[in-house]
């Protein structure tokens, strides 16, 4: 239930208070206007829909990149451990290196700074391991592993880039400012159109419109960082982490 209420925050309270206050002022002092609010509605709805759509697109792109990341690490792991020329000590070492790489990568995504220095360094260590073990890794397997590690690096860098560069900040700021400003335009016209229906309906519709707009903004804001695990649509990163297979015990 708490996650479903995550789209309600202090900004929601500000907008609701603003809607009620302006409605009270307009009804009490007879301040009305008759404007075509369709244009003003589009001015805030269109940017909101655009940013939400882009946030979903970023999330889908990240899911595809993380799938490539995990599958490439798995393929690298199984390619190396099935190599009969490599010793058990080297296999255990590279397996642990791959797991550490996965852990460091997701730690960098959780961080607000997205510092992937340690992750890149760990990937370099794995490249060096492959390079220094050419005598135990056949040339064909070496080429295959390098291609897989290249896919790992590309998926990492693209994911970090998408995480660092979100939807346009200026557009999101514009949406928020316009949501706060919208009641000043909408409510006087609403009072004029619904004057014969009574004040109760005016209060209800004004609050409903304000609530819908700020909730849409909050939904987009929760989706902006799909790794903070604070929203309903955040990526379940545990599904994409590389973990060493647990040995099966015979019954």
């Amino acid at each position: 239930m708490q996650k479903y209420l995550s789209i309600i925050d202090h900004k929601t309270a500000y907008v609701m208070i603003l809607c009620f206050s302006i409605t009270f002022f307009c009804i009490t002092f007879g301040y009305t206007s008759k404007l075509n609010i369709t244009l003003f509605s589009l001015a805030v709805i269109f940017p909101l829909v655009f940013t939400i759509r882009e946030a979903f697109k970023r999330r889908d792109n990240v899911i595809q990149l993380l799938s490539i990341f995990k599958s490439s690490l798995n393929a690298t792991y199984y390619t190396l451990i099935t190599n009969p020329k490599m010793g058990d000590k080297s296999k255990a070492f590279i397996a642990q290196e791959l797991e550490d790489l996965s852990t460091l990568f997701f730690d960098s995504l959780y961080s607000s700074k997205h510092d992937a220095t340690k992750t890149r360094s760990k990937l370099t260590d794995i490249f060096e391991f492959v390079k220094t073990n050419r005598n135990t890794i056949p040339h064909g397997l070496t080429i295959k592993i390098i291609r897989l590690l290249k896919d790992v690096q590309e998926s990492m860098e693209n994911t970090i880039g998408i995480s660092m560069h979100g939807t346009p900040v200026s557009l999101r700021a514009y949406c928020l400012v316009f949501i706060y400003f919208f009641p000043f335009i909408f409510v006087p016209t609403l009072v004029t159109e619904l004057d014969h229906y009574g004040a109760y309906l005016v209060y209800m519709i004004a609050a409903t419109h304000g609530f819908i707009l700020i909730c849409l903004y909050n939904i987009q804001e929760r989706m902006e960082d799909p790794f903070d695990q604070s929203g309903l649509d955040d990526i379940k990163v545990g599904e994409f982490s590389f973990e060493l297979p647990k040995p099966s015990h015979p019954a």
Side-chain angles (χ1 to χ4, degrees):
M1 186 63 181
Q2 184 178 359
K3 282 193 172 183
Y4 289 99
L5 295 176
S6 63
I7 61 173
I8 301 175
D9 58 6
H10 64 280
K11 292 190 290 294
T12 310
Y14 293 157
V15 171
M16 297 301 289
I17 292 172
L18 195 60
C19 289
F20 282 122
S21 301
I22 296 175
T23 304
F24 174 80
F25 174 84
C26 291
I27 292 176
T28 303
F29 296 98
Y31 180 76
T32 61
S33 64
K34 195 170 184 178
L35 301 174
N36 185 356
I37 61 173
T38 302
L39 179 62
F40 295 101
S41 299
L42 291 175
V44 64
I45 293 295
F46 176 77
L48 277 174
V49 172
F50 172 79
T51 54
I52 291 174
R53 186 180 65 230
E54 288 302 307
F56 264 114
K57 188 183 296 185
R58 290 174 63 246
R59 176 180 176 274
D60 290 342
N61 289 338
V62 168
I63 290 175
Q64 293 179 9
L65 291 169
L66 293 181
S67 298
I68 295 173
F69 173 80
K70 182 176 181 178
S71 61
S72 298
L73 285 184
N74 284 336
T76 303
Y77 170 75
Y78 287 112
T79 299
L80 287 170
I81 66 168
T82 55
N83 178 20
K85 295 183 179 181
M86 184 176 290
D88 292 339
K89 186 176 180 180
S90 295
K91 290 180 181 179
F93 172 79
I94 192 61
Q96 188 60 54
E97 289 289 283
L98 292 173
E99 187 175 44
D100 291 345
L101 172 65
S102 176
T103 301
L104 289 171
F105 173 56
F106 285 107
D107 285 345
S108 68
L109 293 178
Y110 288 135
S111 172
S112 58
K113 296 181 179 179
H114 300 289
D115 185 4
T117 303
K118 293 181 179 179
T119 307
R120 297 186 181 102
S121 177
K122 180 62 67 175
L123 185 61
T124 301
D125 292 341
I126 296 173
F127 272 113
E128 288 298 321
F129 172 85
V130 175
K131 181 179 178 182
T132 55
N133 286 270
R134 291 285 184 89
N135 57 328
T136 59
I137 304 176
H139 179 71
L141 286 183
T142 301
I143 299 300
K144 181 180 180 180
I145 292 170
I146 290 175
R147 288 176 178 172
L148 290 170
L149 292 178
K150 175 177 175 292
D151 291 339
V152 170
Q153 185 174 25
E154 286 185 357
S155 61
M156 282 170 41
E157 297 298 337
N158 285 328
T159 302
I160 292 171
I162 292 174
S163 301
M164 292 179 64
H165 304 90
T167 54
V169 177
S170 57
L171 186 58
R172 285 185 283 130
Y174 159 80
C175 288
L176 185 58
V177 170
F178 206 99
I179 288 171
Y180 286 135
F181 183 69
F182 189 69
F184 291 94
I185 301 171
F186 177 68
V187 173
T189 302
L190 191 65
V191 172
T192 303
E193 297 291 336
L194 302 178
D195 182 54
H196 54 288
Y197 287 103
Y200 173 78
L201 186 62
V202 177
Y203 276 106
M204 186 178 68
I205 294 180
T208 301
H209 276 73
F211 182 79
I212 290 172
L213 290 177
I214 197 62
C215 282
L216 286 173
Y217 177 85
N218 287 339
I219 289 172
Q220 191 280 328
E221 194 173 51
R222 295 293 183 275
M223 291 174 54
E224 190 64 24
D225 186 355
F227 300 105
D228 61 3
Q229 307 302 301
S230 65
L232 292 171
D233 298 300
D234 284 343
I235 295 174
K236 297 177 176 60
V237 293
E239 299 294 327
F240 301 99
S241 299
F242 172 81
E243 296 179 355
L244 296 178
K246 296 180 181 179
S248 57
H249 300 285

